[in-house]
Amino acid sequence: MQLKNVIHHDPVRQPVFSRLLKGSTGFVLAGIGLLALLQSCKSTNGEETANNTKAAPVVVSTEVVSLQKGRLSSSLQIPGELVAFQQVDLYAKENSFVRKLYVDVGSEVKTGQLLVTMEAPELASLEAAAQSRLRSQEALYIASKSNYERLLETSKTPGTISQNDLDQALAKKNSDFAQWDAAKAQSREVANRRGYLEIRAPFNGVITARNVNPGAYVGPSGKGSEFPLFTLQEQKKLRLVIYVPEAYTGYLNQQDIVNFNVNAFPNEKFSAQVKRLAGALDSRLRSQRIEMDVTNANKRLLPGMVANVMIPLSTKDSTFILPKTAVVSSQERVFVIKVVNNKAEWVDVKKGRETDGKVEVFGELNAGDLIVKTGSEEVRDGSTVILNSSLQF
């Protein structure tokens, strides 16, 4: 409007401004046309995008497997320890001195075999005193018994012995008998203590440690001996001890046979039989202690060896088994893709054991369901699936 007013009041410049006004109108018309074209293109692209969004993705030539039940056999490797079937540390019961040793480290001994003799001079004095007291009490009892019997015989004549004298004689006889009995017990105690000066093997085994020499002062643990005289182990039969995690406690039962190997003989396999199950979980390890018996007649296996135990994990009931590639594990869920009427359906599952590229799955599945063999989040839930008939089985 201002431009038109300038042209109208200025006759000199009117022709020039008229030409400029005509040129500006052309530019404006060209701009309006370009804007309309861009708006048309934007509208067209928006419609195409909306149509593409509404269209369900299609997966072509998807390979599927038919879900079936089976038994998945695998094994679990657990470290174990071989220990002696029986082991004992032998201490001296009496404070004494070692007189003679009859065995040494590595000696194989039999039950009852003499291992060491000791001497304690004070026990000889105690034994002599006990024998003297025993004889004294025996004599007193014999005298009181004879006195009572004479009084009893005399009392048969009325008025000769009062009942009080007879009762006192009976009490003296019973008291002397009790004292004699106590003296006999004391004498046996001293004799038993002298027997402790000889230490014998409590079972068949091998001496694996010796901590004394002749002349050493020994006694009970903490009262003369810091270490035991000997350590005796039974080695012809060993215990294999393992701790089985909670998830695998149901796979081993008594009398089951397991195989193991040791580092000393890496190419050899040994067998053991399950004998003892703890029946409870260790509160710290959350595992069950299981012991197996190992026959070791040739004594090649040694107590303390670490064993690699292979536990067979064979299921008793059949479960659904799929290739590991069929199970999709995302940050939010674990699922398989089931095909129903050419539609993909995500089914949440839980995985069990895995072996040889296969895995146990548990979920809302049925035998014969078609499962995408190679699952992926790209196969969206509800999308159309075109199956390659040559890949179905």
Side-chain angles (χ1 to χ4, degrees):
M1 181 63 69
Q2 293 178 356
L3 182 62
K4 290 183 178 180
N5 290 334
V6 170
I7 295 172
H8 179 74
H9 292 90
D10 191 349
V12 177
R13 299 177 181 177
Q14 182 175 3
V16 176
F17 280 108
S18 297
R19 288 193 299 270
L20 289 174
L21 184 61
K22 291 180 181 180
S24 298
T25 303
F27 282 122
V28 170
L29 293 177
I32 293 174
L34 180 59
L35 181 62
L37 179 62
L38 290 175
Q39 185 67 25
S40 175
C41 292
K42 181 177 180 181
S43 176
T44 303
N45 290 337
E47 292 178 358
E48 291 179 358
T49 302
N51 292 334
N52 291 337
T53 303
K54 294 180 181 179
V58 177
V59 180
V60 181
S61 299
T62 300
E63 186 177 1
V64 295
V65 294
S66 179
L67 185 63
Q68 301 295 334
K69 284 190 173 183
R71 288 183 173 86
L72 194 62
S73 297
S74 62
S75 61
L76 175 68
Q77 182 170 329
I78 292 181
E81 182 182 8
L82 289 168
V83 298
F85 192 78
Q86 296 184 89
Q87 176 175 326
V88 63
D89 293 331
L90 300 174
Y91 287 88
K93 183 174 177 59
E94 293 292 332
N95 293 325
S96 55
F97 297 91
V98 176
R99 184 169 65 183
K100 187 176 181 179
L101 297 173
Y102 297 91
V103 294
D104 208 332
V105 174
S107 299
E108 189 168 349
V109 300
K110 302 292 184 182
T111 303
Q113 181 176 334
L114 184 62
L115 306 179
V116 60
T117 57
M118 296 164 290
E119 55 185 358
E122 62 274 12
L123 284 182
S125 300
L126 291 175
E127 186 176 18
Q131 290 295 327
S132 177
R133 182 172 182 270
L134 176 62
R135 288 191 294 268
S136 173
Q137 292 298 327
E138 183 181 8
L140 291 174
Y141 170 69
I142 292 173
S144 61
K145 178 182 178 185
S146 298
N147 182 54
Y148 171 73
E149 289 177 350
R150 283 194 303 270
L151 292 177
L152 179 62
E153 187 64 27
T154 304
S155 67
K156 292 180 181 179
T157 302
T160 56
I161 301 296
S162 67
Q163 185 63 39
N164 182 57
D165 292 340
L166 189 63
D167 291 342
Q168 287 184 359
L170 178 60
K172 182 68 167 61
K173 170 200 164 186
N174 292 337
S175 176
D176 289 342
F177 178 79
Q179 293 295 328
W180 182 38
D181 201 30
K184 289 190 289 186
Q186 185 179 11
S187 179
R188 287 194 299 269
E189 178 187 356
V190 175
N192 290 336
R193 291 178 65 181
R194 286 186 62 84
Y196 294 144
L197 297 179
E198 293 183 348
I199 296 182
R200 299 179 180 273
F203 51 81
N204 296 343
V206 176
I207 301 295
T208 59
R210 190 201 78 177
N211 299 305
V212 294
N213 292 299
Y217 176 74
V218 295
S221 176
K223 297 181 179 180
S225 293
E226 182 179 359
F227 301 104
L229 279 67
F230 300 104
T231 298
L232 177 64
Q233 293 182 342
E234 181 180 352
Q235 296 185 355
K236 289 188 175 180
K237 189 177 182 181
L238 302 178
R239 298 174 188 259
L240 177 58
V241 180
I242 61 174
Y243 286 87
V244 178
E246 179 181 358
Y248 302 99
T249 53
Y251 292 101
L252 278 181
N253 298 301
Q254 286 189 347
Q255 310 305 322
D256 286 349
I257 303 295
V258 299
N259 296 320
F260 68 94
N261 57 44
V262 295
N263 295 333
F265 309 103
N267 296 325
E268 290 189 48
K269 285 187 178 181
F270 302 90
S271 61
Q273 187 175 32
V274 178
K275 285 293 186 180
R276 289 163 293 279
L277 291 82
L281 297 181
D282 183 273
S283 58
R284 296 177 295 104
L285 303 176
R286 307 306 303 171
S287 57
Q288 179 179 210
R289 178 188 174 103
I290 296 179
E291 293 186 358
M292 292 160 273
D293 289 350
V294 181
T295 302
N296 189 38
N298 53 12
K299 294 191 294 185
R300 297 182 67 201
L301 299 174
L302 303 178
M305 282 185 170
V306 176
N308 299 314
V309 185
M310 303 301 296
I311 298 179
L313 302 179
S314 56
T315 56
K316 298 179 180 178
D317 299 325
S318 59
T319 56
F320 289 124
I321 299 176
L322 284 172
K324 292 173 64 175
T325 56
V327 181
V328 183
S329 299
S330 66
Q331 295 181 351
E332 299 178 354
R333 59 197 294 189
V334 178
F335 62 93
V336 297
I337 303 174
K338 182 170 67 172
V339 179
V340 181
N341 297 326
N342 290 335
K343 294 289 185 179
E345 179 181 337
W346 288 10
V347 179
D348 292 332
V349 296
K350 292 184 178 180
K351 295 194 296 184
R353 294 173 300 142
E354 301 180 11
T355 181
D356 298 331
K358 297 181 180 180
V359 60
E360 293 177 332
V361 293
F362 305 92
E364 296 182 0
L365 299 170
N366 299 304
D369 288 346
L370 297 180
I371 306 297
V372 175
K373 185 175 182 179
T374 304
S376 172
E377 291 184 283
E378 296 180 359
V379 183
R380 305 303 301 170
D381 189 14
S383 61
T384 302
V385 178
I386 299 176
L387 303 180
N388 188 334
S389 59
S390 61
L391 297 177
Q392 295 184 29
F393 59 91

